[in-house]
Each structure stands twice: as structure tokens, then as C-alpha cells.
Amino acid sequence: MEHQREPEHRQEHHHHHHHHRHHESYQHTHTFKRQLRDTGTVGPVYAASMAVCVGATASGTALSWTSNLTSDWRTGDLNDIIIDKDQMKWISQFQSLGGMVSCIPTGLLNDYIGRKPTLMVATIPFYIGWASMVYGQHITFLYIGRFFCGVGSGMFNVTCPLYVAEISPVAVRGRTTTSFFVFYGFGMLYANFFGYVLPIKLFIFACAAIPFMFNSMFFFQPKSPVHNIQMGKIQESQEVLRKLRGSRYDLWPEIRTIQLELSRGYYRNHFWDMFKEKAVRKACYMGLSLVALKQLSGVTRSHFYTKEIVSGVEWIDKYWGACITD
């Protein structure tokens, strides 16, 4: 009988330990929210969030690059390359292929080298992509360029929200994380507007300027404190949080909370163990459902062919209509 009751005792102990960690994490969260309000600052967090979200603008320009170009670029304006309708479809879709390929490796790279280095590396595919498109003398270079821009977009789309969430205190995390989508939308508007008003080569250079702007702004921003703690660099994480929260802010409640959240991962023996938690299952279900609905709605296709879609509207010019739509 004692031997049979032992697993129940272990299960009860594990449940109590799990509940204790949640309760302690909850207490620490409210502690540093109050301290942030009384002794901290959020200005550096907003600055870092705005800087990193310039990467979202780069992704938006790459996504909508084809949506509002004038028809002249398909008849030889770009290095005398003649582009038919089938080739145009591939030019559009290679962006999505690049993004699809890069997502999982980017997640691994984030854990291996950190969020900030990953974001700095993410601009390299953009430079390769835009250079291939502006200097290439064959349609293949357009395919390659779009693919590499897709790789860079995928890296930014994975890492930007992660970085912003990890540097932001709970009190302002909702505001800072939504800024990603604002900058992403601005990137699409940027591509639609300048794709119409600028010659094709100058437009490509204008798009390539966004990753350069990102490098210039984000280079001076701090690394993720969560990744530093994950790597055991407590002193470095203190310096980062001091820069983000201010010199009067008591860092240890927040550091302790991060450590508690990270420690939850060490109690899982396998990847699938995380799905035993109801909150994780619910979040995954909702997130995957929303992404599936978004993709099945055809919204990505509308970004690739915005001009063609609105061309049937008689009361507005199709080029300006594309700008308004995005």
C-alpha cells in the first residue's frame, strides 16, 4: 500500500511546487510593476522598441515590393529584363518561400547567439537580396533577391516581437509589442508609395536603405536581459536592466521573476511536456487558429497584387488606390 501511494505523494508534491512557483512569480510581477511606477523609467524601452521595429518596416517593404510597381519595369526598365506573367508570379512567391525557410533556424539562432546578434545578422539577407535585384542581369537574380529578402523578413518577424517582449516591463508590454505591426504596416505603405513615384532602381535603393537605417539605430540598443539570464550572465543582465529601467530601480524582483519563468522549462523532459499545461495549449490553439485564418483569407496575395485588385474600382486611380488599401 505504501508503495502504491508513493506516486500520489510525488504528484501532490510536484503540484504544490508548481503552484508555489506560480504564486511567487505572481508576487514578483506585481512588485516590480509597482517599483517601475515609483522609481523606474520606460523611455529607454520605448526607444529600443522603436529602433528594433524599423526591422518590421524592412519586412513590410519586402512583402509589398511588387504590389504597386508600374508596368514599365516588366518591359526592360530593370536591366533590360523582360518579365512575363508567370515569372511575375514566381517573383512574388519567392518572398514567401524565403520566409518559410528561415523561421525555424531563426528560433534556434536566437537561443544560440542571442536576440540582438540575430537581428543584426537578419539585415545581411536583405543586402544580398536588394543587391541581386538591382545589379542582376537575368530573371534568376530577381528570384534570388526575393528569396533572400524573404529570409530576412522571416528572421525579423520571428525575433522583433520576441526582443520587444523581453525588454519591456509588464506595465507597457502591450503597447510596445503592438508597435511591430504599426511599423510593418508603414513598410507596406512605404513600398506602395515609392514603388509608384520612383524609378525601379531608385526604388530598390530606397528599400535597401531601411535595413541600413535599422543597423544604425539598433546597434546602440541593449541585448535581451532574458537571454543573458538564460546564459547565466547575471551581471550583464543587471547592466542591461539598469539601462532600460533607470538607476533607481530595484532590479532583483524582475530578475528573480525571469529566473522563475526560465526554470519552468527545466522541469520538462521533452518538448511535448509543455502542452500538458492548459494555458500553453490554449495559447497555441488560439495563435495557430488566427494564423491559419489569416493565411487562408488570401491576405498575403492581396499584398503582392494590390494594384491589380483595386484596378477594377472606377472612381480611384489604381496606383493611389493601392497606397490607400495598404
Side-chain angles (χ1 to χ4, degrees):
M1 293 293 291
E2 292 180 0
H3 182 71
Q4 290 177 349
R5 282 198 296 268
E6 185 178 358
E8 296 179 4
H9 174 71
R10 288 181 179 177
Q11 186 176 6
E12 183 180 350
H13 175 74
H14 177 75
H15 177 74
H16 175 74
H17 185 65
H18 183 72
H19 177 74
H20 176 71
R21 291 202 315 270
H22 272 288
H23 180 68
E24 191 173 352
S25 176
Y26 179 82
Q27 286 183 323
H28 281 301
T29 299
H30 280 268
T31 299
F32 68 72
K33 281 180 70 175
R34 185 172 61 254
Q35 289 177 344
L36 180 69
R37 184 177 62 251
D38 296 338
T39 62
T41 180
V42 293
V45 173
Y46 284 131
S49 299
M50 297 302 104
V52 74
C53 284
V54 175
T57 303
S59 295
T61 58
L63 177 68
S64 293
W65 185 77
T66 60
S67 64
N68 203 27
L69 293 171
T70 60
S71 57
D72 294 339
W73 85 281
R74 293 170 53 181
T75 57
D77 273 11
L78 183 59
N79 300 327
D80 298 323
I81 301 174
I82 307 299
I83 302 168
D84 60 34
K85 289 185 177 180
D86 289 335
Q87 291 171 331
M88 184 64 191
K89 293 176 183 177
W90 280 109
I91 290 172
S92 298
Q93 296 306 319
F94 266 104
Q95 163 79 17
S96 298
L97 290 173
M100 181 181 66
V101 167
S102 66
C103 286
I104 293 178
T106 299
L108 299 174
L109 195 63
N110 272 305
D111 284 339
Y112 186 68
I113 66 173
R115 286 46 158 164
K116 182 178 179 179
T118 300
L119 286 164
M120 299 299 287
V121 169
T123 58
I124 297 175
F126 275 108
Y127 295 139
I128 296 173
W130 295 125
S132 298
M133 293 165 69
V134 77
Y135 295 116
Q137 301 294 319
H138 191 269
I139 186 67
T140 305
F141 287 97
L142 290 177
Y143 297 155
I144 293 172
R146 289 290 287 168
F147 179 82
F148 273 100
C149 285
V151 170
S153 296
M155 295 179 72
F156 273 131
N157 293 349
V158 169
T159 313
C160 283
L162 177 64
Y163 175 85
V164 172
E166 290 183 348
I167 66 168
S168 301
V170 176
V172 298
R173 191 171 295 161
R175 303 172 210 169
T176 54
T177 51
T178 53
S179 62
F180 173 85
F181 301 100
V182 176
F183 278 76
Y184 196 84
F186 176 75
M188 292 189 289
L189 176 62
Y190 181 97
N192 276 282
F193 178 75
F194 287 108
Y196 174 48
V197 302
L198 294 179
I200 182 63
K201 282 195 173 183
L202 190 57
F203 173 47
I204 295 175
F205 281 116
C207 291
I210 303 297
F212 179 79
M213 186 186 304
F214 168 83
N215 283 134
S216 303
M217 297 175 64
F218 188 64
F219 179 79
F220 301 99
Q221 300 305 323
K223 295 181 179 180
S224 165
V226 175
H227 184 261
N228 284 335
I229 294 174
Q230 191 176 14
M231 295 292 103
K233 302 176 181 178
I234 304 299
Q235 185 175 356
E236 190 172 340
S237 68
Q238 291 181 56
E239 296 172 0
V240 169
L241 285 172
R242 187 77 65 191
K243 182 177 180 180
L244 291 169
R245 307 287 189 264
S247 58
R248 297 172 54 211
Y249 181 74
D250 184 9
L251 307 175
W252 282 105
E254 185 167 354
I255 291 175
R256 179 59 179 157
T257 300
I258 294 172
Q259 289 175 325
L260 284 170
E261 292 299 321
L262 290 174
S263 68
R264 295 174 63 187
Y266 293 107
Y267 288 91
R268 305 186 184 110
N269 295 323
H270 303 287
F271 171 79
W272 298 107
D273 287 347
M274 72 174 67
F275 294 102
K276 294 179 180 178
E277 299 181 27
K278 184 178 179 181
V280 174
R281 292 198 304 271
K282 185 177 180 180
C284 287
Y285 172 76
M286 293 178 64
L288 292 174
S289 298
L290 290 172
V291 171
L293 287 171
K294 176 187 174 183
Q295 296 302 320
L296 292 173
S297 70
V299 65
T300 303
R301 183 178 177 85
S302 71
H303 293 315
F304 290 151
Y305 305 106
T306 309
K307 180 187 64 182
E308 285 77 6
I309 292 172
V310 301
S311 61
V313 181
E314 297 180 357
W315 53 270
I316 190 171
D317 179 80
K318 60 183 179 181
Y319 295 105
W320 292 112
C323 294
I324 295 171
T325 302
D326 268 349

